[in-house]
């Protein structure tokens, strides 16, 4: 139950106890009726629409769209965008009142080439339920048809997992020593036994940001 609901319900309970002169059974019946209305009201007001990433988009932000056509805000998706740059690309960071949500990368052609999730409220729709950044990496490994793919760069590289055009990697903050060695060794990909329940998702994207 959210804090909003607890406050509203506590206030309503106090009002009912004060105003209702009937029996305890009548008071409880009245409270149950009011509670149902509170649930419907607060669910519609407090819960904001969830954003989802696919191989092609996050909401109105599409792979291939011109940087010049990116709107300054999109209702229920983001209310601010910040232009910037990485070592390899021009970037656009999208955020709302809760913080940064996702980044678009332009590798020099003036269009969105890759989208990476950076916030916890942009999710992936999967057969066994949605998930996102910070969730257990086991949710990636159980995806039907997910495959490990090596990406080499600057003399090194790392393993990623690819499913339905989306790329995933574990969080650097939760790697074990064993998994870290396997993750950066091109000879063979880490397997399920290399992951424990503490290892979480640290990267989700339509591709790599470089």
């Amino acid at each position: 139950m959210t804090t909003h609901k607890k406050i509203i319900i506590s206030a309503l309970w106090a009002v009912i106890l004060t105003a209702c002169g009937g029996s305890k059974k009548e008071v409880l019946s009245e409270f149950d009726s009011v509670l149902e209305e509170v649930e419907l009201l607060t669910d519609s007001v407090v819960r904001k629409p969830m954003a989802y990433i696919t191989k092609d988009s996050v909401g109105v932000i599409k792979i291939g769209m011109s940087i010049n056509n990116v709107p300054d805000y999109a209702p229920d998706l983001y209310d601010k965008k910040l232009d910037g740059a990485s070592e390899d690309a021009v970037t656009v960071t999208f955020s709302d009142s809760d913080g940064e949500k996702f980044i678009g990368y332009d590798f020099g052609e003036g269009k969105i080439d890759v989208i990476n999730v950076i916030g916890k409220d942009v999710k992936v729709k999967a057969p066994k339920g949605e998930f996102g950044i910070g969730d257990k990496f086991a949710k990636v490994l159980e995806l039907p048809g997910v495959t490990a793919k090596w990406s080499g760069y600057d003399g090194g590289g790392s393993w990623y997992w690819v499913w339905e055009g989306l790329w995933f990697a574990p969080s650097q903050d939760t790697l074990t020593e064993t998994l870290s060695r396997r993750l950066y060794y091109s000879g063979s990909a880490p397997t399920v036994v290399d992951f424990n329940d503490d290892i979480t998702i640290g990267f989700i994207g339509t591709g790599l940001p470089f």
Side-chain angles (χ1 to χ4, degrees):
M1 182 181 295
T2 65
T3 301
H4 296 83
K5 287 182 181 179
K6 289 179 180 178
I7 293 173
I8 294 172
I9 290 171
S10 295
L12 287 173
W13 181 238
V15 170
I16 291 171
L17 287 177
T18 302
C20 185
S23 66
K24 181 178 179 181
K25 183 177 181 180
E26 291 174 328
V27 171
L28 290 175
S29 177
E30 180 69 18
F31 180 70
D32 286 340
S33 177
V34 173
L35 180 57
E36 289 181 7
E37 295 184 16
V38 170
E39 289 285 343
L40 293 173
L41 176 62
T42 56
D43 282 350
S44 63
V45 173
V46 176
R47 292 180 183 175
K48 64 180 181 180
M50 185 62 65
Y52 296 96
I53 185 171
T54 71
K55 65 179 181 179
D56 302 310
S57 65
V58 174
V60 298
I61 305 304
K62 313 287 187 181
I63 298 297
M65 77 183 299
S66 170
I67 288 292
N68 296 328
N69 292 337
V70 173
D72 291 333
Y73 66 92
D76 299 324
L77 182 60
Y78 64 90
D79 52 32
K80 183 170 63 175
K81 68 183 182 75
L82 178 65
D83 296 329
S86 67
E87 184 177 345
D88 302 292
V90 172
T91 63
V92 184
T93 302
F94 301 89
S95 61
D96 63 11
S97 58
D98 292 328
E100 297 179 342
K101 300 182 69 173
F102 58 99
I103 301 178
Y105 292 85
D106 162 25
F107 296 127
E109 297 182 352
K111 60 185 179 66
I112 299 291
D113 291 302
V114 167
I115 300 172
N116 288 170
V117 175
I118 52 177
K120 293 186 176 182
D121 57 351
V122 177
K123 304 292 187 181
V124 174
K125 284 185 177 179
K128 293 186 178 181
E130 63 190 35
F131 63 82
I133 297 292
D135 289 326
K136 294 182 183 300
F137 201 81
K139 293 182 178 293
V140 173
L141 300 177
E142 70 183 12
L143 292 169
V146 66
T147 59
K149 183 178 181 64
W150 173 258
S151 176
Y153 51 87
D154 296 335
S158 178
W159 287 97
Y160 291 83
W161 283 258
V162 182
W163 177 77
E164 297 289 325
L166 292 176
W167 292 60
F168 305 89
S171 169
Q172 296 293 313
D173 296 333
T174 60
L175 294 182
T176 62
E177 184 177 346
T178 298
L179 179 56
S180 183
R181 287 198 302 268
R182 295 292 305 276
L183 195 63
Y184 302 109
Y185 171 62
S186 62
S188 60
T191 64
V192 173
V193 297
D194 295 312
F195 292 82
N196 60 40
D197 286 341
D198 295 326
I199 295 171
T200 60
I201 301 168
F203 177 87
I204 300 173
T206 63
L208 302 180
F210 46 79

